[in-house]
């Protein structure tokens, strides 16, 4: 925590050779503030976590920070709940190849009534997920699939290749 704090306090110009180290320090600090560190003076500070994720997401465009910020916005952690802003960050992260963001984006729009589109994103995310994320993504996808009507399922299956092959596409 102390080392990451020192790195974060030094700052860095976006695009410099130290950008990755700096952003990793910001994200690590945000994670610590999000969860706190048991047995230490570092307590949970959701507002600080949200601010650090925002800095890494907006200034440096890192998909993991965009994803974590979106999750906080959806849950109303560290500030007001804002689904529209969360969708913006999820969409950016998914366009940058973040499978978890693609899945969560799909789940949000599925819940908003865009069943076929949401299910397409959820299904496409399953093919791109890291092993640590596949279980929760599969759970979301299976739930949506079971709730969707047959017509929406068929449309979603047809949309999956478009979503997978062209991240900028918005089916």
């Amino acid at each position: 925590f102390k080392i990451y704090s020192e790195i974060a306090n030094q700052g860095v110009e976006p695009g410099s050779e130290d950008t990755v180290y700096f952003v990793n320090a910001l994200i690590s600090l945000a994670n610590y503030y999000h969860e706190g560190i048991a047995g230490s003076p570092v307590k949970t500070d959701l507002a600080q976590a949200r601010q650090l994720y925002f800095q890494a997401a907006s200034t440096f465009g890192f998909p993991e920070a965009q994803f974590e910020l979106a999750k906080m916005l959806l849950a109303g952690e560290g500030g007001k709940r804002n689904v529209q802003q969360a969708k913006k960050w999820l969409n950016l992260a998914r366009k940058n190849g973040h499978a978890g963001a693609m899945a969560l984006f799909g789940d949000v729009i599925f819940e908003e009534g865009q069943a076929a589109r949401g299910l397409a994103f959820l299904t496409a995310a399953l093919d791109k997920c890291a092993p640590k994320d596949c279980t929760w993504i599969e759970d979301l996808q299976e739930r949506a699939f079971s709730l969707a009507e047959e017509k929406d399922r068929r449309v979603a299956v047809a949309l999956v290749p478009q979503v997978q092959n062209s991240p900028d596409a918005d089916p």
Side-chain angles (χ1 to χ4, degrees):
F1 179 86
K2 186 175 180 178
I3 292 169
Y4 290 137
S5 294
E6 289 171 9
I7 292 169
N9 287 334
Q10 290 174 7
V12 69
E13 285 295 318
S16 77
E17 61 187 38
D18 293 331
T19 298
V20 172
Y21 301 111
F22 180 75
V23 173
N24 283 334
L26 289 179
I27 292 172
S28 295
L29 284 173
N31 291 338
Y32 284 133
Y33 281 120
H34 191 262
E35 302 300 323
I37 302 173
S40 83
V42 180
K43 303 296 178 214
T44 300
D45 184 342
L46 296 177
Q48 181 67 18
R50 188 162 159 169
Q51 181 58 40
L52 291 167
Y53 285 135
F54 178 78
Q55 184 180 356
S58 62
T59 305
F60 299 98
F62 270 59
E64 184 63 25
Q66 294 166 340
F67 176 62
E68 293 297 333
L69 175 60
K71 289 191 320 186
M72 291 189 81
L73 287 162
L74 283 172
E77 293 179 325
K80 285 178 61 176
R81 184 173 192 267
N82 190 326
V83 176
Q84 287 308 113
Q85 282 296 308
K87 283 171 41 180
K88 172 192 152 193
W89 290 113
L90 289 170
N91 203 25
L92 281 171
R94 82 157 178 93
K95 286 179 179 182
N96 287 318
H98 197 288
M102 180 182 283
L104 197 51
F105 180 76
D107 188 58
V108 169
I109 65 174
F110 181 87
E111 292 296 326
E112 290 178 341
Q114 299 179 54
R117 233 176 121 234
L119 192 52
F121 281 115
L122 281 159
T123 303
L126 273 177
D127 290 337
K128 297 179 179 242
C129 61
K132 69 177 180 66
D133 295 324
C134 288
T135 301
W136 70 264
I137 291 173
E138 187 174 6
D139 289 346
L140 284 180
Q141 192 268 353
E142 287 178 357
R143 184 188 64 78
F145 199 82
S146 72
L147 295 172
E149 295 178 10
E150 182 63 27
K151 176 183 154 232
D152 289 327
R153 290 183 199 138
R154 290 175 195 267
V155 171
V157 169
L159 289 174
V160 169
Q162 182 182 351
V163 170
Q164 287 174 327
N165 299 326
S166 182
D168 287 333
D170 196 16

